[in-house]
Amino acid sequence: MRESHPLLTFFIDAADGRFPPVDGRVTVLPPLPGGLECSVAFTGHAVIATAMTSQAVYAQDPDGFGASLSPDFLRHLAGPKGWIGVTDATLTARGTGGIPRLVELTDADDHSRVRHARQLRTNVQVYGDDRGLITLADGLAGRRELSIELHRTQDSSPGHGRALLADALSLVPEGKPVFAAVSPGNARSLRAFLACGFTPIGSEILLRPARG
């Protein structure tokens, strides 16, 4: 995603504590680059980026109180054979800058986390050490995103995820917003992000439609 998208303004504003009105409405924006679309839910307001017309979207009666993420509505957006991603919590934090504490990796292209990042994001950079790896990339709507994966989840010492995330924030210029999409069911990861200062601002689902 080489250029920013109108949805980016919503994310940046939310990172600054400015949210859409809690009015139950849905804002429809153009589709994302690369054939992707999305449904993003803030408190009491939804934003949908799609190639469908506003009339076609509103005809399905989505709302800002949860219906924009309902299975039936998402299947309508994606089409009968379209890909629908998972529901993620949208989190944001601020970079800490300074001297980066992680080294860039050039031999991790075969890692599943890196492959996934390259499928959905651009300008993907990979960093890490013996604890795990971090991807830092331009993601949804052009926002700066990071993701984390520990090498040995089951036998990792307590706090490794939090320490790695704290080091990852040094890769982002001080004060600049960075975002993460975390599965709510991955409680261990979610707790690590929250402990490192990430704040929930909404939830999101990516789609790659195939409407025929």
Side-chain angles (χ1 to χ4, degrees):
M1 302 177 186
R2 293 178 176 83
E3 298 180 359
S4 63
H5 181 275
L7 178 57
L8 180 62
T9 300
F10 286 84
F11 288 132
I12 297 300
D13 284 349
D16 289 333
R18 301 187 301 273
F19 292 90
V22 184
D23 55 11
R25 295 184 177 180
V26 175
T27 297
V28 179
L29 299 177
L32 302 165
L36 292 172
E37 301 187 0
C38 68
S39 180
V40 179
F42 298 100
T43 299
H45 196 97
V47 181
I48 297 167
T50 178
M52 297 182 69
T53 66
S54 298
Q55 291 81 359
V57 172
Y58 296 142
Q60 300 301 309
D61 294 325
D63 60 41
F65 299 125
S68 65
L69 299 178
S70 70
D72 288 343
F73 176 70
L74 294 173
R75 178 49 63 195
H76 175 75
L77 276 184
K81 297 183 179 180
W83 170 77
I84 301 175
V86 299
T87 302
D88 282 324
T90 310
L91 311 177
T92 188
R94 299 283 174 174
T96 56
I99 299 175
R101 305 187 187 103
L102 296 171
V103 297
E104 188 166 4
L105 305 179
T106 59
D107 58 352
D109 287 347
D110 289 337
H111 193 284
S112 59
R113 174 70 63 178
V114 177
R115 291 199 305 270
H116 177 74
R118 295 195 191 282
Q119 288 173 355
L120 300 174
R121 303 166 187 144
T122 61
N123 300 324
V124 178
Q125 297 171 289
V126 186
Y127 300 85
D129 55 23
D130 59 350
R131 297 169 295 180
L133 61 77
I134 292 285
T135 65
L136 187 63
D138 295 333
L140 179 56
R143 69 189 185 187
R144 203 64 174 150
E145 293 181 4
L146 66 80
S147 64
I148 179 176
E149 183 154 325
L150 297 177
H151 291 319
R152 296 173 296 277
T153 304
Q154 298 301 323
D155 58 359
S156 293
S157 298
H160 270 189
R162 299 179 187 185
L164 189 59
L165 271 175
D167 289 346
L169 289 175
S170 71
L171 301 169
V172 181
E174 184 177 2
K176 294 293 185 180
V178 64
F179 299 85
V182 181
S183 170
N186 189 348
R188 184 174 182 178
S189 178
L190 188 58
R191 288 197 302 268
F193 275 89
L194 295 176
C196 288
F198 279 80
T199 301
I201 58 172
S203 58
E204 62 189 56
I205 294 180
L206 276 172
L207 308 99
R208 193 180 298 277
R211 303 187 184 100

